[in-house]
Amino acid sequence: MPIAVDIDVMLARRKMSVGELADRVGITPANLAVLKNGRAKAVRFTTLAALCEVLECQPGDLLRWEAEGHADARAEGQAQVAEEIAYDA
């Protein structure tokens, strides 16, 4: 999908768990996982605004556009960055 979701990176930077973020945003952990893993077809602006408020970030910190061929390689790199940030904590 050409829209990549970087919630993992922001969670690692904020040292926050998926469960805590879901609770503070007011969505289920399952729905957050769908969004986080790039399987969501849409996201409501109210949900995006709540994510940004809780994570103290801008929408562009969570979502970005990528050309079709580059998304898979970039996703692997982003997952590694999130792991490194979490490991350093």
Side-chain angles (χ1 to χ4, degrees), residues 16-88:
M16 187 181 298
S17 70
V18 172
E20 180 183 354
L21 179 60
D23 187 50
R24 291 178 62 183
V25 169
I27 61 177
T28 66
N31 283 341
L32 181 57
V34 167
L35 178 59
K36 182 174 80 76
N37 295 323
R39 295 187 316 254
K41 300 283 184 197
V43 60
R44 292 183 180 176
F45 283 140
T46 54
T47 302
L48 182 58
L51 287 165
C52 290
E53 182 178 353
V54 171
L55 292 170
E56 298 177 352
C57 66
Q58 294 296 313
D61 296 326
L62 301 177
L63 303 173
R64 63 188 153 71
W65 178 86
E66 291 186 340
E68 283 288 334
H70 301 294
D72 294 333
R74 176 90 178 188
E76 288 178 19
Q78 290 294 331
Q80 185 177 5
V81 168
E83 286 178 19
E84 289 172 3
I85 291 171
Y87 181 77
D88 290 341

